[in-house]
């Protein structure tokens, strides 16, 4: 279901392609680098013809490679694509037509990855040698021969595009229900004459703001225009339910398998067992056997036989297996991405992923992710609008994440030897809400290699190894027991030695909090952090006879973003240190950034805090 609908061709190109007049002369307004005009003629049956004229002005060496090619993907089973014009206009006025042998159509990347399953093709235009200031021009005609499963939809999302103009014209019968909405400054008109309705929209964007670290999708903050024949999210759910009807039939083979998976388990534990089995045994592959834009899952028996499928297929097999043991399950459609703000209008572009909803337990699960536990939704799926695919469709919201459900606890025992060698062991316990990324790391290579890569950025460096519970056993809490050695980890000196707390093996390093910092010290856009509760405790033994001269002061900062704390306590042969970071929100508003920055810099300063001890004579 990650495939874009056919009507999204225009939206995909909005930020990278522009438009011109049809008489062979470039017509980019002064001061702009991008221009696009998209014209649609929509029939009563929701088929349509799209003519799009696109232009880009080469603004420097960085534009040469991305503008040297233009690609358009379509499905020849129910679409046609014709390149009408392709040329380059150089700054000196020389116009170079693209030769016919520089325009070719081949199987798309998806078709090449899954031959025999995906029938899409990609038409590619290779432009002659570009120069700084050249204008790259393309005009194509795209025809939808059959109506899309969700009707007519166009989505133009400019994101942070700069110096661009977009013009849209849609003509349709007055009798065809067609809705449109915008945000960010599109001007729109809606007129009717002689039985034809004409909707026009346009926007011109000057210099846009730069992207910020970990910000929400640029689509959330940039201008957008949506047009659709859909009445709302409920219709999306109802259409999906109708198209997938009968696909979750429990065949005798599926019934037998379900009973063997569940065993004596009942209720939620039975559902967990089914989820774990699907996540472990069904590989994710985006394949599409149906020409209706991939919105129809394969039947459950086929998915089981193949052992792979896309998100819809994982869901339909779960439905069949759960249904075989008397547990209800429904598809739920959501947008799995860093886009956190709904579009101005519900359309086919509003969802891109299917998860499963279990009404008996009011629980959502994402079987596509092989490392996410039962009922675990990541920060890109949590607290989002979700459409339950049922006969009437239903708009709901996925549960929000909390710091209490995303916990990380590490306890290290560290021995600093007289020659400065540091040896340590660590026990790490991770809650299900936080462990999918860690489970993936554990499978990324041999433990010793991953441990070395984890230790390398620390001041001490070193070499290590660990043992863990099986990352693929999603029903078991994740536990890691590691050990490491850091030769020359501490520079022993006399009369006093200065050191920081050796971090050792840490699979969720809090130094990564730096990724949320900005150079300006401010933010313009919301940004995604993800709630968490990290606590690390360190028990350090110093060389025999060492005397502690100074421990860092305690730290305690609390504000609207969360809190950080640290304390240090001397022991008989060394000291104990504890650090904790609690972040409360998933998405933070720009005005919350100063509070988050205060927490991060406070915590980073504590990690650099110096312990002073006097070695034994």
């Amino acid at each position: 279901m990650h495939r874009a609908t056919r009507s999204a061709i225009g939206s995909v190109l909005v930020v990278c392609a522009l438009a011109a007049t049809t008489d062979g002369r470039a017509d980019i307004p002064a001061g702009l680098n991008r221009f696009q005009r998209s014209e649609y003629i929509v029939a009563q049956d929701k088929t349509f013809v799209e003519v799009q004229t696109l232009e880009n002005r080469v603004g420097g060496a960085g534009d040469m490679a991305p503008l040297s090619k233009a690609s358009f993907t379509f499905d020849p089973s129910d679409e046609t694509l014709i390149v009408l014009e392709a040329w380059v206009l150089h700054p000196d006025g020389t116009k170079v037509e693209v030769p016919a042998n520089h325009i070719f159509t081949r199987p798309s990347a998806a078709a090449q990855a899954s031959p025999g399953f995906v029938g899409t093709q990609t038409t590619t235009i290779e432009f002659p040698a570009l120069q700084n200031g050249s204008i790259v021009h393309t005009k194509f005609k795209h025809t939808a021969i059959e109506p899309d499963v969700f009707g007519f939809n166009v989505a133009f999302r400019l994101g942070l595009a700069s110096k661009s103009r977009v013009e849209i014209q849609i003509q349709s019968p007055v009798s065809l229900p067609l809705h449109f909405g915008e945000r960010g400054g599109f001007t729109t008109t809606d007129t009717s004459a002689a039985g034809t309705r004409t909707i026009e929209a346009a926007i011109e964007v000057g210099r846009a703001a730069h992207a910020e670290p970990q910000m929400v999708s640029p689509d959330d903050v940039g201008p957008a225009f949506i047009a659709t024949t859909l009445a709302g999210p409920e219709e999306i759910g109802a259409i999906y339910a109708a198209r997938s009807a009968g696909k979750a039939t429990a065949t005798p083979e599926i019934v037998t398998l379900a009973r063997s998976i569940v065993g004596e388990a009942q209720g939620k534990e039975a559902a967990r067992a089914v989820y774990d089995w699907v996540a472990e045994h069904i590989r994710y592959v985006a394949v599409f056997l149906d020409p209706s834009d991939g919105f129809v899952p394969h039947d459950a028996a086929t998915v089981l036989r193949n052992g792979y499928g896309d998100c819809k297929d994982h869901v339909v097999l779960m439905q069949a297996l759960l249904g075989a043991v008397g547990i209800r399950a429904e598809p739920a459609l959501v947008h799995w991405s860093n886009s956190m703000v709904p579009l101005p209008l519900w359309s086919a572009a509003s969802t891109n992923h299917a998860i499963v909803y279990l009404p008996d337990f009011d629980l959502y699960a994402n079987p596509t992710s092989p490392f996410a536990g039962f009922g675990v939704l990541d920060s890109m799926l949590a607290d989002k609008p979700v459409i339950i695919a049922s006969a009437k469709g239903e708009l709901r919201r996925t549960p929000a994440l909390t710091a209490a459900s995303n916990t990380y606890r590490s306890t290290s025992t560290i021995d600093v030897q007289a020659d400065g060698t540091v040896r340590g062991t660590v026990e790490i316990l991770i809650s299900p809400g936080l462990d999918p990324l860690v489970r993936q790391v554990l499978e990324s290579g041999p433990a010793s290699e991953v441990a070395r890569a984890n230790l390398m950025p620390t001041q001490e460096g070193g070499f290590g190894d660990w043992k863990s519970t099986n990352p693929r056993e999603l029903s078991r809490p994740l536990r890691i027991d590691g050990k490491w050695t850091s030769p020359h980890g501490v520079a022993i000196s006399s009369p006093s030695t200065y050191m920081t707390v050796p971090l050792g093996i840490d699979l969720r390093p809090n130094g990564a909090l730096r990724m949320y910092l900005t150079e300006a010290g401010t933010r313009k856009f919301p940004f995604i952090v993800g709630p968490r509760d990290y606590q690390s405790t360190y028990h350090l033994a110093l060389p025999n006879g060492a005397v502690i001269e100074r421990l860092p002061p305690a730290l305690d900062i609390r504000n609207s973003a969360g809190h950080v704390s640290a304390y240090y306590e001397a022991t008989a042969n060394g000291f104990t240190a504890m650090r904790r970071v609690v972040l409360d929100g998933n998405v933070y508003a720009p005005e919350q950034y100063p509070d988050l920055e205060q927490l991060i810099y406070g915590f980073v300063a504590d990690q650099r805090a110096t312990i002073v001890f006097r070695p034994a004579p």
Side-chain angles (χ1 to χ4, degrees):
M1 186 165 171
H2 295 286
R3 178 184 168 191
T5 59
R6 67 163 69 95
S7 55
I9 287 181
S11 66
V12 170
L13 298 172
V14 165
V15 297
C16 63
L18 316 168
T21 58
T22 58
D23 58 5
R25 293 182 294 103
D27 192 29
I28 296 178
L32 299 186
N33 291 331
R34 299 179 176 87
F35 194 91
Q36 170 174 339
R37 181 168 178 84
S38 298
E39 299 170 286
Y40 300 89
I41 299 177
V42 186
Q44 186 69 41
D45 66 355
K46 302 175 187 177
T47 59
F48 64 90
V49 175
E50 171 190 10
V51 175
Q52 196 168 117
T53 311
L54 315 162
E55 281 187 359
N56 275 327
R57 192 192 310 274
V58 178
D63 290 339
M64 298 292 183
L67 297 183
S68 64
K69 291 183 180 180
S71 297
F72 313 95
T73 297
F74 64 101
D75 190 335
S77 67
D78 57 359
E79 298 173 275
T80 64
L81 184 75
I82 302 172
V83 177
L84 302 176
E85 297 175 0
W87 44 259
V88 176
L89 183 64
H90 293 306
D92 63 1
T94 303
K95 179 182 174 183
V96 181
E97 298 282 352
V98 176
N101 61 354
H102 282 227
I103 304 175
F104 50 89
T105 299
R106 296 174 177 173
S108 68
Q112 293 179 48
S114 304
F117 295 97
V118 182
T120 55
Q121 295 185 348
T122 298
T123 294
T124 300
I125 303 170
E126 293 182 340
F127 295 98
L130 304 181
Q131 303 172 16
N132 191 24
S134 296
I135 294 172
V136 179
H137 170 98
T138 306
K139 182 178 181 181
F140 67 88
K141 180 180 180 181
H142 166 228
T143 303
I145 302 170
E146 297 291 337
D148 185 90
V149 61
F150 288 122
F152 174 76
N153 293 268
V154 290
F156 290 83
R157 292 160 288 188
L158 275 64
L160 298 179
S162 292
K163 297 185 176 181
S164 303
R165 181 173 176 82
V166 174
E167 298 177 354
I168 306 156
Q169 182 186 82
I170 304 172
Q171 293 184 319
S172 66
V174 171
S175 57
L176 179 68
L178 182 60
H179 317 281
F180 69 92
E182 67 83 25
R183 68 165 177 245
F186 273 92
T187 60
T188 61
T189 62
D190 185 1
T191 59
S192 298
T196 297
R197 181 184 181 190
T198 301
I199 299 169
E200 293 190 294
I203 190 169
E204 190 167 303
V205 180
R207 186 176 297 278
H210 294 293
E212 296 172 343
Q214 310 303 312
M215 66 177 286
V216 297
S217 170
D219 291 343
D220 290 358
V221 299
F225 174 84
I226 307 294
T228 179
T229 53
L230 289 165
E234 293 80 8
E235 185 179 1
I236 295 174
I239 290 173
Y240 185 94
R243 300 290 292 186
S244 58
K247 299 292 184 178
T249 299
T251 63
E253 181 184 9
I254 288 175
V255 172
T256 300
L257 175 61
R259 291 172 178 170
S260 68
I261 292 171
V262 169
E264 299 299 320
Q266 299 288 327
K268 187 181 291 187
E269 291 309 308
R272 184 191 305 275
V274 169
Y275 172 89
D276 289 351
W277 190 92
V278 172
E280 180 179 359
H281 291 86
I282 304 301
R283 215 165 25 96
Y284 177 77
V285 179
V287 294
F288 306 93
L289 297 178
D290 192 280
S292 59
D293 285 309
F295 284 99
V296 179
H298 309 125
D299 62 83
T302 299
V303 179
L304 179 61
R305 182 172 59 252
N306 290 343
Y308 59 77
D310 69 358
C311 58
K312 308 181 306 297
D313 300 326
H314 283 71
V315 168
V316 80
L317 181 56
M318 269 203 71
Q319 286 181 273
L321 290 168
L322 291 170
V325 292
I327 298 174
R328 295 183 298 158
E330 297 174 321
L333 310 180
V334 67
H335 209 285
W336 192 12
S337 73
N338 63 342
S339 181
M340 299 295 177
V341 179
L343 293 169
L345 205 64
W346 280 94
S347 76
S350 298
T351 66
N352 70 352
H353 186 58
I355 58 177
V356 66
Y357 175 63
L358 281 65
D360 296 332
F361 317 116
D362 192 23
L363 182 146
Y364 298 86
N366 183 24
T368 302
S369 174
F371 297 106
F374 181 59
V376 173
L377 301 181
D378 62 28
S379 60
M380 306 294 182
L381 286 173
D383 197 19
K384 280 193 166 183
V386 62
I387 303 169
I388 306 301
S390 60
K392 294 184 178 180
E394 181 184 358
L395 181 62
R396 298 171 63 96
R397 197 166 189 91
T398 57
L401 295 175
T402 65
S405 64
N406 286 357
T407 61
Y408 178 97
R409 298 288 184 264
S410 69
T411 303
S412 300
T413 301
I414 302 170
D415 182 19
V416 180
Q417 300 180 351
D419 64 353
T421 298
V422 177
R423 299 184 186 278
T425 62
V426 63
E427 175 190 276
I428 301 174
L429 300 173
I430 307 174
S431 69
L434 199 63
D435 67 15
L437 288 177
V438 177
R439 290 179 184 270
Q440 192 169 357
V441 168
L442 294 176
E443 285 215 340
S444 63
S448 59
E449 293 181 10
V450 180
R452 182 177 181 181
N454 183 258
L455 289 162
M456 198 175 298
T458 67
Q459 291 190 60
E460 299 78 30
F463 311 90
D465 202 352
W466 65 58
K467 294 181 180 179
S468 73
T469 52
N470 186 343
R472 294 283 181 169
E473 292 184 11
L474 302 180
S475 59
R476 292 185 62 187
L478 188 59
R479 172 175 172 151
I480 300 158
D481 291 283
K483 60 182 179 179
W484 79 92
T485 301
S486 300
H488 308 285
V490 174
I492 304 294
S493 60
S494 183
S496 297
T497 295
Y498 296 78
M499 64 174 286
T500 59
V501 176
L503 299 178
I505 293 174
D506 188 354
L507 295 179
R508 299 292 289 182
N510 288 307
L513 291 172
R514 292 178 182 271
M515 73 174 66
Y516 302 109
L517 298 174
T518 67
E519 183 178 3
T522 59
R523 280 182 176 267
K524 295 182 178 179
F525 306 121
F527 55 105
I528 303 171
V529 176
R532 68 193 72 180
D533 182 350
Y534 291 174
Q535 180 173 302
S536 297
T537 304
Y538 308 88
H539 301 290
L540 280 94
L542 297 176
N544 288 335
V547 177
I548 293 177
E549 296 181 329
R550 187 174 72 236
L551 290 174
L555 172 72
D556 191 5
I557 304 174
R558 299 172 185 269
N559 57 38
S560 70
H563 72 266
V564 300
S565 59
Y567 75 82
Y568 299 81
E569 181 179 356
T571 60
N573 62 340
F575 65 93
T576 292
M578 190 282 291
R579 293 171 175 152
R580 188 178 184 189
V581 178
V582 178
L583 301 179
D584 297 321
N586 190 30
V587 179
Y588 282 73
E591 53 269 24
Q592 290 180 281
Y593 175 74
D595 278 356
L596 182 67
E597 184 185 66
Q598 182 188 28
L599 297 181
I600 294 173
Y601 278 126
F603 191 84
V604 170
D606 181 72
Q607 286 188 315
R608 293 196 298 253
T610 304
I611 297 97
V612 184
F613 69 89
R614 185 172 66 253

